[in-house]
Amino acid sequence: MAEDLYHQLLQRNRDWVQRRLRKDPDYFTKLAAGQNPQVLWIGCADSRVPENRIIDTQPGDVFVHRNIANVVVHTDTNLLSVLDYAVNALAVKHIIVCGHYGCGGVQAAMVREPVGLLDNWLRHIQDVYDRYQEELEAIADEKQRVNRLVELNVVEQTHSVALTSIVQRAWHRKMQLAVHGWVFDMHSGRIIDTNCTFNGLGQVRRAYRMKFS
C-alpha cells in the first residue's frame, strides 16, 4: 500500500507538469528564473492548512515557514533564518502568522498530558495559556476554549515576530513591512483577521523596543 502511494505521488507530479505545460509552455522556465514573493507565511505544519490553496496563490508568491502550532521562538534559528532571508533578501512587504481552529498542538498544550519531545515545544503555548488563564478558564465549552487559545496564540506569536531584532531593524531602516495575525477556519474555509497588525517600531512594547544609534 505504501509503495503504491509512493508511485502515485510520482505520477501525480508528471500529470501536474503536463497540465501546466498545456496551459503555459513557458511555465517552468519562468518559475526557474527566480522568486519575488511579497509575503512571508508563518503557519502550522498541519497538512490541512496549505497556504497556497487557502489564499489562492501560485508558486513563487509566498515564502513559507511552518511548524507545530505556528510558534515564533527567538532561539529558533530555523525560523529566524527564514525570517531574515524573507525580510533582508526578498524584501517581503507582509508577514502573516496563521493559526487554525482545532489545532492539535494548541489542544495538547492546554490538556498538558505528556506526549514526549513535543512537550518542550508546546511549553511556549502554555506560556500563552498562563498569560490569559483567567479569560480561558471562564469559557466552559472545551472546544471554544481551545479555539480561543488558538486566537490568543496567534496574537502572541504575531507580537513575537514584531519583537525580533530582524523586524525592528527593518522598521528602523524605514522598510515597508507589516506583521499580521490570522486564523483559518476549516469548517468554512474562511480566514479570520484577528486585527492584530504591527506596522512600525512605535507599536513595539517599550521594554522590548531596541535602541538604534
Side-chain angles (χ1 to χ4, degrees), residues 162-163 168 171 198 200-210:
L163 297 181
Q168 290 197 49
W171 283 330
F198 291 86
L201 280 172
Q203 293 173 272
V204 175
R205 287 177 286 203
R206 187 174 177 182
Y208 298 101
R209 195 181 308 162
M210 299 183 70

Side-chain angles (χ1 to χ4, degrees), residues 67-84:
N67 62 46
I68 293 176
N70 44 273
V71 175
V72 176
V73 182
H74 287 205
T75 54
D76 182 356
T77 54
N78 186 341
L79 181 144
L80 293 177
S81 297
V82 171
L83 179 62
D84 184 72

Side-chain angles (χ1 to χ4, degrees), residues 10 37 98 103 115 142 150 166 172 174 181-182 190 198 208:
L10 290 172
C98 187
C103 180
V115 292
E142 183 176 346
V150 164
I166 297 165
H172 175 68
K174 307 300 182 184
W182 289 358
R190 300 292 297 272
F198 291 86
Y208 298 101

Side-chain angles (χ1 to χ4, degrees), residues 132-179:
Y132 296 95
Q133 183 173 356
E134 184 175 349
E135 175 187 346
L136 289 165
E137 293 188 353
I139 302 172
D141 182 81
E142 183 176 346
K143 182 178 178 181
Q144 291 180 10
R145 193 183 315 131
V146 170
N147 285 342
R148 180 55 181 156
L149 183 54
V150 164
E151 296 170 349
L152 294 171
N153 183 52
V154 164
V155 168
E156 289 299 316
Q157 306 313 322
T158 305
H159 276 81
S160 289
V161 173
L163 297 181
T164 62
S165 60
I166 297 165
V167 170
Q168 290 197 49
R169 192 167 285 110
W171 283 330
H172 175 68
R173 297 200 309 266
K174 307 300 182 184
M175 291 179 65
Q176 181 184 342
L177 181 63
V179 186

Side-chain angles (χ1 to χ4, degrees), residues 8-139:
Q8 286 175 21
L9 294 176
L10 290 172
Q11 184 59 52
R12 289 177 189 175
N13 168 254
R14 290 188 285 268
D15 294 342
W16 173 71
V17 169
Q18 292 306 312
R19 289 195 302 272
R20 285 294 182 183
L21 290 174
R22 281 195 295 270
K23 294 180 74 172
D24 181 1
D26 297 322
Y27 179 82
F28 292 104
T29 301
K30 290 183 287 188
L31 189 65
Q35 61 173 331
N36 185 33
Q38 298 295 294
V39 174
L40 167 62
W41 177 280
I42 299 174
C44 182
D46 193 300
S47 60
R48 300 167 295 175
V49 193
E51 63 290 327
N52 281 334
R53 292 286 185 91
I54 65 177
I55 55 174
D56 195 23
T57 54
Q58 298 299 316
D61 290 345
V62 181
F63 202 59
V64 178
H65 176 85
R66 293 170 67 177
N67 62 46
I68 293 176
N70 44 273
V71 175
V72 176
V73 182
H74 287 205
T75 54
D76 182 356
T77 54
N78 186 341
L79 181 144
L80 293 177
S81 297
V82 171
L83 179 62
D84 184 72
Y85 189 78
V87 171
N88 294 313
L90 298 174
V92 298
K93 299 295 188 295
H94 298 274
I95 299 171
I96 295 168
V97 178
C98 187
H100 64 95
Y101 291 135
C103 180
V106 171
Q107 184 169 6
M110 196 177 75
V111 173
R112 300 190 301 278
E113 292 180 357
V115 292
L117 178 64
L118 184 59
D119 298 333
N120 301 281
W121 184 256
L122 297 181
R123 203 225 67 208
H124 298 290
I125 306 173
Q126 289 165 351
D127 288 342
V128 177
Y129 188 96
D130 181 63
R131 189 168 299 149
Y132 296 95
Q133 183 173 356
E134 184 175 349
E135 175 187 346
L136 289 165
E137 293 188 353
I139 302 172

